[in-house]
Amino acid sequence: MTGGSDEALAGIYRTELPRLRAALARRTGSVDLADDLVQDAWVEALDHWPREGVPPNPGGWLMTTASRKAVDRARRDAAGAEKLRLLASGGPPSAHADDDEDRLALVFGCCDPRLPRDSQVALTLRAVCGLTTAEIAAAFLTPEATMAQRITRAKRLLRESGAPVAVPEPDELGPRLSAVLTVVYLVYNEGYLSSSAHVPQRRELRIESLELARLVDRLMPGEPEAAALHALIDLHEARAATRFDGWGRLVLLADQDRSRWDTVRIDAATERLDAALAKRRPGPFQAQAAIAALHATAASYDETDWPQIGMLYDRLAGWDDNPVIRLNGAIALWKVRGAAVALAEVDGLAAELDGYRLFHATRAALLRDLDRDDEARAADRRALDLATNTAERALLRSRVDPVS
C-alpha cells in the first residue's frame, strides 16, 4: 500500500475512472448504471484509501468494488440480475480488458441517433471521459444548470430506449459518425486548453482523444472525415511541445519556435489528409484539418496562406454556421483585409458571443492593431473575467496590467 495524497487521487480519478466507466457500460449495457457504479466505487475508495493507502492496482480495486456493488444491485433488482451477474462471473474482470472495444462501444452507444445531437455529445463527454458538468458547459458555452438537465434527460432517454452499449453494425455507423467525431474533438480541445482553473492543459485527455480518433479511423477506413479528424489532432500534437514555455505560460502561434515542431508527424498527417481529400467527399473536419495543415507547413506566421485559410473558414461556415467559426474566420480576414474590416465582422457577433472569452480577446487584439489601446485593455479585462484557464489568465492579466 502507498499513501493516498490528493494529487495521487486526482490522477487516478482522471485516468482510471473513464476506463472503468467504459468497461462497465459495455458489460451492463447501460451508460446510466455504469455511471452510478463508478461513483459508488469511487466513494468507497475515498473512504478507504486515505486511511489504508492506495492499492498497487487501483483500477483493479475499483473494478472489483464496482462489480461487487453491481451484484448487490442485482440482488435487489431481479429484473437486472442476468446482465449484472456477468460482471461477477469468473472472478473480478480486468479494468483494461478489451479497453479499445469498450471505449468505442461507449462512444457509439452514447451517440444514439434517437438522442438530440447536443445531448449525444454532452453525454459522451460525461460518460466516456468523465468531464465534469461545468467543463462540458464551458465547451458548449452553456450555463452549467442547463447542461446538467441536458445530461440527465439524455441518460433517461437512453435508458428508456433499451439500446445496447455496443459498436453498431457497419450499416449503422454512418448516422452516428458526425456526433462521434465531434465528441472526440471536443475532448481534445479540453485537453489542449483546459477549462479547469487548476491546470492549463490535460495531457490524459489529449492522449484519450487521439486514441479514439485512431480507433474510429481504423474502424471506418474508407471514411474521409474520420481520417481527417485523425490528421487534425496529429497536426495539433505536432506543435504541442511549443505551446507553453518553461514557466507554463501560454505561447501564441505567432511566437512559437517552429524549429521544434514535429515535422515527421506533420508530414504523416498531411499525407493522411491528402488521401482523405482525394475521395472527393468533403466535410467539416477535412476543412479544419486543411486549416491546421496550412498553419503547420507555413515557414512563418506572416507567410501563412491567410487568403486560403479565410476561404476554408467560409466553407466551414457553410456546413456549420457557428459564431465561433465566424470569429476564427475574422482573424484570417484581419490578415487579408486589415483590422478595421475584421473588427466590424467581430462586432457583429457580440450578441451571440458576449460570454465567450476569446471573442473579447480577439476584439482586444484588433483594437490594439488600430491603436485604440484603452478600448483594447477594456476588452482584455472582460476576457480575463470570463477565462478560467490558468495560462490564459496569466497572458490576459499581463495585457491588462503590463507592470504587474
Side-chain angles (χ1 to χ4, degrees):
M1 294 282 192
T2 59
S5 69
D6 289 345
E7 184 178 348
L9 291 174
I12 293 168
Y13 184 91
R14 289 194 300 268
T15 58
E16 296 295 342
L17 264 64
R19 295 191 184 102
L20 178 64
R21 189 179 287 107
L24 289 168
R26 187 169 179 231
R27 286 165 174 77
T28 65
S30 169
V31 173
D32 206 9
L33 176 57
D35 205 31
D36 287 345
L37 292 172
V38 167
Q39 294 306 317
D40 287 348
W42 185 246
V43 168
E44 188 158 330
L46 293 180
D47 182 47
H48 287 271
W49 292 355
R51 292 183 285 105
E52 302 170 7
V54 177
N57 180 8
W61 190 100
L62 289 165
M63 179 60 89
T64 300
T65 302
S67 301
R68 189 184 71 246
K69 290 183 177 298
V71 173
D72 290 342
R73 282 175 178 252
R75 290 184 180 128
R76 297 193 304 267
D77 183 6
E82 188 60 32
K83 280 185 177 179
L84 294 175
R85 195 175 296 115
L86 295 174
L87 285 170
S89 62
S94 165
H96 303 285
D98 301 321
D99 193 45
D100 290 349
E101 186 75 12
D102 288 338
R103 286 185 291 169
L104 273 182
L106 185 52
V107 171
F108 277 97
C110 290
C111 293
D112 190 304
R114 285 166 287 199
L115 296 178
R117 170 55 60 85
D118 286 351
S119 296
Q120 294 175 20
V121 176
L123 180 59
T124 310
L125 292 172
R126 179 72 187 89
V128 178
C129 298
L131 297 191
T132 67
T133 304
E135 289 167 341
I136 300 169
F140 277 82
L141 307 182
T142 301
E144 185 175 349
T146 302
M147 185 55 63
Q149 292 175 349
R150 185 178 299 172
I151 293 171
T152 300
R153 186 165 57 249
K155 285 183 178 181
R156 186 183 70 251
L157 290 171
L158 198 60
R159 183 173 62 249
E160 291 172 353
S161 75
V165 178
V167 176
E169 294 300 317
D171 60 346
E172 298 175 352
L173 290 171
R176 304 190 189 196
L177 179 63
S178 177
V180 168
L181 297 180
T182 299
V183 165
V184 173
Y185 196 42
L186 282 172
V187 173
Y188 184 78
N189 286 338
E190 178 61 28
Y192 192 71
L193 196 66
S194 173
S195 59
S196 168
H198 306 293
V199 291
Q201 61 178 330
R202 294 179 61 177
R203 185 171 178 272
E204 80 280 3
L205 291 182
R206 285 170 37 213
I207 293 171
E208 173 79 5
S209 61
L210 179 57
E211 284 305 306
L212 285 171
R214 286 173 176 162
L215 289 171
V216 176
D217 189 12
R218 192 181 310 147
L219 179 68
M220 305 179 72
E223 177 49 61
E225 283 289 88
L229 176 63
H230 186 180
L232 173 61
I233 292 178
D234 257 339
L235 286 165
H236 288 319
E237 283 295 284
R239 61 183 186 86
T242 65
R243 294 187 57 250
F244 297 91
D245 66 14
W247 299 96
R249 294 174 299 199
L250 193 62
V251 180
L252 299 180
L253 178 62
D255 303 318
Q256 290 174 13
D257 180 357
R258 294 178 181 234
S259 69
R260 294 177 56 209
W261 287 2
D262 187 340
T263 55
V264 173
R265 195 167 198 164
I266 291 170
D267 290 344
T270 51
E271 184 176 340
R272 189 179 304 116
L273 174 61
D274 288 342
L277 294 171
K279 291 183 168 62
R280 300 192 178 279
R281 284 156 45 206
F285 283 103
Q286 292 169 72
Q288 290 183 75
I291 291 168
L294 287 169
H295 283 302
T297 56
S300 69
Y301 186 76
D302 290 336
E303 294 175 77
T304 303
D305 189 345
W306 293 108
Q308 181 69 13
I309 288 176
M311 286 189 288
L312 285 166
Y313 272 118
D314 287 342
R315 185 139 193 213
L316 195 55
W319 282 301
D320 181 8
D321 191 19
N322 183 310
V324 175
I325 291 173
R326 283 180 277 149
L327 178 67
N328 290 331
I331 296 173
L333 187 64
W334 174 19
K335 302 302 178 182
V336 176
R337 299 183 59 189
V341 175
L343 182 61
E345 179 78 11
V346 169
D347 282 344
L349 303 173
E352 296 170 280
L353 294 179
D354 184 61
Y356 184 46
R357 76 213 185 275
L358 295 182
F359 166 75
H360 297 284
T362 301
R363 280 196 79 246
L366 294 168
L367 289 164
R368 271 194 303 275
D369 196 38
L370 294 168
D371 296 323
R372 293 160 61 178
D373 293 341
D374 290 342
E375 293 173 84
R377 194 171 296 110
D380 272 328
R381 189 174 294 109
R382 173 64 174 148
L384 178 60
D385 290 341
L386 294 167
T388 55
N389 182 276
T390 54
E392 270 191 332
R393 287 185 59 80
L395 177 63
L396 290 166
R397 194 178 292 112
S398 71
R399 292 172 175 172
V400 171
D401 186 7
V403 179
S404 64

